[in-house]
Amino acid sequence: MNWEVVMGLEVHAELSTKSKIFCGCSTEFGGEPNTHVCPGCTGEPGVLPMLNKAVVEYAMRLGLTLDCDITRVNTFDRKNYFYPDLPKAWQTTQLYAPVCRNGSVGGIRLHQIHMEEDAGKLVHAPNGSAAYMDYNRSGTPLLEIVTKPDFRTTEQVLDFLETLRETLLYLDICDCKMQEGSLRCDVNLSVRPLGQAEFGTRTEMKNLNSFKAIARAIEYESKRHIDVITRGGQITQETRRWDDNKGKSMPMRNKENAQDYRYFPCPDVPPVIIDDAWLEQVRATLPELAAQKRERYIGEHGIAPKDAATITVHKTISVLFERLVELTGQPKEAANLITGELMRHLNNTGTLPEDLQVDAGKLAELINLVLAGKINRAAYKQTMHAVFGEDVQPMAYIEQNGLLMDDNSDAVAAAIAAALAANPKAIADYRGGNEKTFGFIMGQVMKELKGQGNPALVKPALEAALADC
Amino acid sequence: MTALQLAAAIAAKKVTVADVTAQYLEKARASANFVAINESALEQAAQVQAKLDAGEALSPLAGVPMALQDNIFVQGMPCACGSAMLEGYMPIFDAVVVEKLQAAGLIVIGKLGMNEFAHSPQAAAAVTAGEIPLALATDNRMACAEHGVWHIKPTYGAVSRLGLVAQVSSMDAIGPIARCVEDCAVLLEIIADCNVAQPVGSNENLPEFPHALAACEIIACAEFGANLQKFDGVSLGKRSTKAENLSETYKFSRGEGFGLATKRRVLFGSLMLAGDNYELYYTKALQVRGQVKDVLTSISAIELPVDEAHNCLANLAGLPAIVKPDGQQIMGAAFTDIALAKGVTA
């Protein structure tokens, strides 16, 4: 029998607002435990939430970009459960009036997007004797993006997540670091015989910490469903935890599956009204997205589509590109720098694009130097890597390492004479009509000049010398 | 002597703030209604006296001692809400009302006991007995009517709830208790923002709201139960020594920490939100609340008995209600508390 896998996603994006959703504490990742906390984060009684307006605006940005219907009267609800990482014993979320409904991403329909707060973290002692609470993350704003069950293949899931990630990054609302948990994805999955209209029983998989884990988990879980059903068994509707080390999904404790969250409207957060003026104000500040940038780079700057894709792989890279263009007026040089040496640097050092820190001004200076004929291409690359690696001052580095091109015509003449004297055979070949030998002789001259020769000067001088011979 | 008369005597330098404070500290120490004493009250009295001597105008109640129900935070004083669960709990910040009292030069003498997470008969008794001229408590109409003492349950939202242990978040309102309505009104003006002129509304007879009390109970218990969940013996609330794992920590700590009346309200509230009950009961309760609000927005001032069936109306609609010593209450329009109190005087 042919089986069809049906999937829907629940994606949690931690928002990169400066402060938390209901208090003024920092949202910065990490830090000493319990240093980004106030009585609200630790659940002390007597504290009231103050909604962070930026959270609503971030939700509006995403909703407008993904063509969602924006809810005008937003309310918040309490989701009640007992767990040590949730000191208030309720999570403030949106059940009854999520901020966005409908919309789509690359053909996948969205069910809703809602605002909510994150919980703290439990830190277990290595010997298992104790657990400690770290409430730094408590109250960090989240958007939960819920899709309809529109996925049929792993590729669709990964494409969707890639596009969503790119959108969140370009909207500047989430840093999307899966390893830090700022982008998390749960997969709802069921299988059915191809052609059957009804959905099968679904399971929900949690703890998927990378795109790779998601792909493996889908593979494993769909196979498990098919195996169970083929052997005459039944799938239990449950939440399962993906163990990436074991390559297996395991049911979470029954208690968590039988949870009744007793949702009710949160009496402490008044409704948030989004009026036309506010919506239009946010719409007017929507930035250019990756796809629009690619189009513009190709159309406006004549960049090859493949290179435009590389440049927009992460927002930090496209920002660098645009800055270089602005400083040098040389889009092709800037594109070559990024797709060539910069990508090599990222690969060689294992640096993620989002962690890249480089002074665009220094790179622009290098581009200007090479185009002005002050340094040659080899020196350009060498200095560039020194800028990437050690953030050196380009001109100082070039001077210290003797990389400035030698424009001294006496030195050039001497080098040409030496090269001609040392390579009689090549000269004979050249004269015999083999013009390819010119490159070899040119190389020998440059070698005499220790790489500091300016090709723009050397070439005509060498041509003249060869003609005179 | 009323609180205003006492303040006038202080202003006229007939008595010092320190003398008055010492006198009431002594009374409070001897009273069973008090559960905590502010040991720095005399220090604060000296500071207020110094300001008054320097000619600073603090408020019409400057220098007057007062007490707080034990669900309002004063940094450095325990706050137990009458519950074994919160025995020894130390708030880490002052309630907004406490900051306002301090700025107005009132001296907090101590905390008054209360039924667990509920009313404070002690607050009503202490004011009645002259153990303290003024007190602040959350909706204490029943106890105050019984004791024949004035009390304003203010408009919901007029008084900050920051630093008040939440019981019923959508109804909690801190209000004054005093032996005359003028004292109540002046104290309320210090802590609240509810000085809207009395609107010309209708004073027709109230329609019957047959489901108002049930709706109020459902909403109040649901919020109450949710608000008390955080007291679970993990980071808040007294942890049971019998517990050997996480679920036992919850079970035993809450089992030992809460009294029967509290448990019944928590369980009833949880039940009203569980599964299909949300649709069957909770949403209907919200509908009733909406109807009550709609009808009551147009009222001006209505006299009602103080009992559960009538108290729930002001709670559902968030309206102010003034309890008189005769055991009746006057319910008025939102944010007209002060005007309403002045009307009662006349």
Side-chain angles (χ1 to χ4, degrees):
Chain A
M1 193 187 296
N2 282 325
W3 295 89
E4 183 175 53
V5 182
V6 177
M7 289 169 286
L9 301 183
E10 289 169 26
V11 182
H12 285 90
E14 259 182 16
L15 298 183
S16 49
T17 50
K18 283 199 189 72
S19 54
K20 293 182 179 179
I21 183 167
F22 294 122
C23 65
C25 292
S26 164
T27 54
E28 203 183 316
F29 176 76
E32 283 296 302
N34 300 308
T35 51
H36 301 156
V37 298
C38 68
C41 306
T42 57
E44 291 288 320
V47 179
L48 294 170
M50 286 269 280
L51 180 63
N52 180 350
K53 189 180 170 190
V55 173
V56 185
E57 294 190 343
Y58 280 26
M60 287 156 78
R61 277 196 223 175
L62 185 61
L64 287 170
T65 303
L66 303 182
D67 294 324
C68 300
D69 302 324
I70 308 290
T71 300
R72 297 313 186 96
V73 181
N74 279 271
T75 53
F76 285 84
D77 305 289
R78 288 190 190 173
K79 176 181 180 178
N80 300 290
Y81 62 95
F82 289 94
Y83 203 64
D85 67 5
L86 191 72
K88 294 197 307 294
W90 75 74
Q91 179 194 31
T92 312
T93 179
Q94 292 190 291
L95 179 73
Y96 297 108
V99 62
C100 305
R101 286 194 171 97
N102 304 319
S104 68
V105 176
I108 300 295
R109 292 169 304 157
L110 298 180
H111 173 62
Q112 67 174 54
I113 301 173
H114 60 262
M115 300 177 271
E116 60 186 26
E117 58 181 338
D118 211 345
K121 263 182 195 160
L122 272 184
V123 182
H124 294 274
N127 63 4
S129 65
Y132 302 94
M133 271 91 73
D134 177 2
Y135 294 128
N136 280 353
R137 199 180 66 178
S138 166
T140 298
L142 295 174
L143 288 183
E144 182 173 339
I145 301 133
V146 185
T147 75
K148 296 201 167 162
D150 283 359
F151 300 96
R152 299 293 178 269
T153 68
T154 307
E155 289 67 38
Q156 285 176 331
V157 170
L158 297 181
D159 282 353
F160 170 90
L161 287 171
E162 190 45 61
T163 308
L164 180 65
R165 184 180 148 276
E166 192 180 81
T167 308
L168 291 166
L169 283 171
Y170 276 82
L171 288 174
D172 217 0
I173 61 178
C174 171
D175 66 19
C176 297
K177 294 182 181 173
M178 288 190 92
Q179 69 282 10
E180 290 181 6
S182 59
L183 191 68
R184 314 196 280 269
C185 178
D186 302 337
V187 177
N188 287 300
L189 182 149
S190 65
V191 300
R192 62 182 171 187
L194 197 61
Q196 180 183 301
E198 306 89 65
F199 292 128
T201 306
R202 69 186 158 86
T203 55
E204 180 182 356
M205 271 186 302
K206 289 185 179 288
N207 195 40
L208 304 165
N209 295 325
S210 66
F211 282 23
K212 219 181 203 170
I214 291 167
R216 292 180 71 201
I218 292 172
E219 181 86 354
Y220 173 89
E221 188 66 6
S222 50
K223 198 163 167 290
R224 190 184 72 82
H225 277 232
I226 295 167
D227 283 352
V228 168
I229 298 167
T230 314
R231 281 192 273 107
Q234 275 192 329
I235 293 294
T236 313
Q237 186 172 335
E238 62 187 0
T239 304
R240 298 173 71 88
R241 184 185 170 79
W242 174 250
D243 185 329
D244 206 42
N245 291 327
K246 293 183 184 150
K248 273 181 164 182
S249 73
M250 245 93 74
M252 294 179 73
R253 284 171 301 151
N254 276 337
K255 257 190 192 159
E256 280 157 47
N257 283 309
Q259 193 79 263
D260 177 352
Y261 293 114
R262 293 168 288 120
Y263 285 95
F264 75 103
C266 181
D268 289 333
V269 187
V272 181
I273 315 291
I274 298 176
D275 59 16
D276 288 351
W278 193 13
L279 198 62
E280 290 318 310
Q281 192 190 324
V282 171
R283 197 196 301 275
T285 62
L286 285 180
E288 189 183 34
L289 294 176
Q292 296 162 320
K293 280 187 188 295
R294 280 192 286 272
E295 255 173 58
R296 184 163 62 83
Y297 295 167
I298 295 165
E300 210 171 281
H301 297 317
I303 305 296
K306 188 169 154 282
D307 291 347
T310 306
I311 295 167
T312 53
V313 73
H314 196 283
K315 190 170 180 179
T316 51
I317 309 289
S318 66
V319 166
L320 175 66
F321 171 73
E322 289 175 20
R323 185 87 184 111
L324 291 178
V325 172
E326 188 189 321
L327 291 170
T328 65
Q330 298 289 339
K332 286 193 179 153
E333 273 305 329
N336 288 341
L337 185 156
I338 285 169
T339 57
E341 298 313 308
L342 179 66
M343 286 301 143
R344 194 161 299 136
H345 165 71
L346 294 180
N347 289 337
N348 290 348
T349 54
T351 309
L352 294 169
E354 58 262 44
D355 296 329
L356 174 70
Q357 286 197 331
V358 64
D359 186 335
K362 291 179 179 173
L363 296 182
E365 188 183 340
L366 277 176
I367 290 177
N368 289 334
L369 284 170
V370 77
L371 290 178
K374 302 280 187 198
I375 52 173
N376 63 24
R377 288 280 161 185
Y380 172 67
K381 287 180 186 176
Q382 183 185 335
T383 313
M384 197 188 304
H385 282 277
V387 170
F388 292 148
E390 296 123 59
D391 194 31
V392 299
Q393 290 295 337
M395 211 48 214
Y397 180 89
I398 288 165
E399 282 169 359
Q400 277 162 22
N401 291 277
L403 297 177
L404 262 188
M405 283 203 283
D406 199 336
D407 285 356
N408 182 330
S409 52
D410 290 347
V412 171
I416 290 174
L420 294 185
N423 297 285
K425 184 172 181 299
I427 292 158
D429 286 353
Y430 178 77
R431 288 212 173 132
N434 185 356
E435 293 196 2
K436 282 183 194 159
T437 326
F438 183 82
F440 171 77
I441 305 169
M442 178 81 183
Q444 295 304 307
V445 177
M446 293 304 267
K447 208 168 155 189
E448 289 289 333
L449 288 166
K450 301 193 174 66
Q452 293 166 33
N454 182 349
L457 290 177
V458 174
K459 198 170 169 245
L462 178 59
E463 279 165 355
L466 283 168
D468 287 352
C469 275
Chain B
M1 201 189 271
T2 68
L4 283 164
Q5 285 165 348
L6 188 54
I10 292 167
K13 300 198 190 292
K14 288 178 185 155
V15 285
T16 65
V17 181
D19 285 347
V20 176
T21 301
Q23 182 196 337
Y24 280 102
L25 273 173
E26 199 178 316
K27 286 188 188 192
R29 287 206 166 92
S31 163
N33 293 318
F34 279 79
V35 290
I37 301 293
N38 178 10
E39 298 300 343
S40 45
L42 281 170
E43 233 168 86
Q44 288 161 12
Q47 287 164 7
V48 170
Q49 186 71 62
K51 285 183 188 171
L52 289 175
D53 290 347
E56 218 175 299
L58 296 173
S59 78
L61 290 173
V64 175
M66 58 147 342
L68 304 170
Q69 184 178 355
D70 197 23
N71 54 359
I72 300 169
F73 285 177
V74 180
Q75 203 175 343
M77 288 180 77
C79 185
C81 297
S83 180
M85 179 59 97
L86 285 185
E87 203 182 290
Y89 175 74
M90 279 296 216
I92 52 179
F93 61 99
D94 280 330
V96 168
V97 289
V98 170
E99 288 173 356
K100 292 193 170 189
L101 294 173
Q102 282 166 356
L106 285 108
I107 311 292
V108 174
I109 295 291
K111 298 282 208 76
L112 295 159
M114 59 190 283
N115 296 342
E116 186 179 38
F117 296 108
H119 308 295
S120 175
Q122 293 91 328
V127 175
T128 308
E131 291 169 7
I132 195 80
L134 297 168
L136 285 182
T138 43
D139 184 5
N140 211 31
R141 282 175 284 172
M142 298 286 249
C144 289
E146 267 170 42
H147 281 85
V149 68
W150 290 89
H151 172 48
I152 304 177
K153 193 296 279 184
T155 302
Y156 176 76
V159 182
S160 169
R161 292 186 290 128
L162 201 61
L164 167 73
V165 178
Q167 292 169 198
V168 180
S169 303
S170 71
M171 300 178 191
D172 287 343
I174 302 171
I177 303 171
R179 286 194 300 281
C180 69
V181 72
E182 292 85 356
D183 285 357
C184 274
V186 174
L187 180 54
L188 186 60
E189 273 196 286
I190 288 170
I191 61 163
D193 189 6
C194 50
N195 209 350
V196 172
Q198 196 158 359
V200 186
S202 67
N203 272 342
E204 287 158 29
N205 285 339
L206 274 186
E208 291 284 314
F209 295 106
H211 302 301
L213 181 56
C216 190
E217 278 299 293
I218 290 168
I219 294 166
C221 289
E223 292 183 13
F224 183 74
N227 284 330
L228 263 57
Q229 286 172 140
K230 61 172 66 176
F231 305 121
D232 58 12
V234 175
S235 61
L236 291 166
K238 205 162 130 192
R239 186 179 299 181
S240 169
T241 50
K242 287 195 301 188
E244 289 182 353
N245 55 44
L246 184 62
S247 68
E248 282 185 9
T249 301
Y250 294 142
K251 199 166 135 187
F252 295 151
S253 301
R254 291 171 65 80
E256 294 163 14
F258 292 138
L260 187 60
T262 299
K263 284 178 190 165
R264 289 175 70 157
R265 297 191 76 201
V266 167
L267 288 174
F268 177 70
S270 297
L271 182 67
M272 289 297 101
L273 293 174
D276 295 340
N277 288 349
Y278 181 81
E279 289 297 330
L280 287 172
Y281 301 106
Y282 196 81
T283 54
K284 285 179 186 158
L286 291 181
Q287 282 166 13
V288 172
R289 185 175 204 173
Q291 290 160 5
V292 171
K293 266 188 186 169
D294 286 348
V295 172
L296 295 186
T297 43
S298 60
I299 68 156
S300 164
I302 297 177
E303 182 155 343
L304 301 167
V306 174
D307 56 31
E308 282 186 333
H310 292 93
N311 286 1
C312 70
L313 298 178
N315 284 339
L316 286 170
L319 300 179
I322 301 179
V323 172
K324 303 185 293 176
D326 66 3
Q328 292 284 102
Q329 62 180 322
I330 311 290
M331 183 170 71
F335 297 99
T336 65
D337 311 35
I338 302 297
L340 200 64
K342 284 180 180 156
V344 173
T345 326

